[in-house]
Amino acid sequence: MNESYRQTRIAQLQNHRHILLQRREQRGAPIASIDMELNVVRAKLQALYEAGRMQLVTETDA
């Protein structure tokens, strides 16, 4: 995976997470659906962070 793409995608997901958290605090917000979407965003971020860690390990082993 291209490092530039990974960093861009992480920034996009973090921004989306921030927006979701703000929406969650609004009166009458559909909290359950927002929480489900937050879980998806969180899982995607974790996968991207793990991909970065694996890339570092691969580079240092070479």
Side-chain angles (χ1 to χ4, degrees):
M1 175 183 301
N2 181 338
E3 181 61 21
S4 175
Y5 171 79
R6 191 180 77 80
Q7 290 295 328
T8 300
R9 189 68 180 128
I10 287 171
Q12 290 170 340
L13 288 167
Q14 287 174 336
N15 287 336
H16 187 58
R17 180 179 173 274
H18 181 70
I19 290 167
L20 288 171
L21 290 171
Q22 286 180 333
R23 277 185 39 210
R24 191 176 186 272
E25 293 185 16
Q26 294 174 350
R27 185 181 191 123
I31 293 176
S33 64
I34 292 172
D35 282 349
M36 285 190 291
E37 194 170 350
L38 279 167
N39 284 334
V40 171
V41 169
R42 193 173 298 120
K44 288 179 180 181
L45 281 168
Q46 287 174 340
L48 287 167
Y49 291 139
E50 182 62 23
R53 282 191 289 273
M54 295 304 289
Q55 188 174 354
L56 281 176
V57 168
T58 304
E59 289 173 0
T60 55
D61 286 346

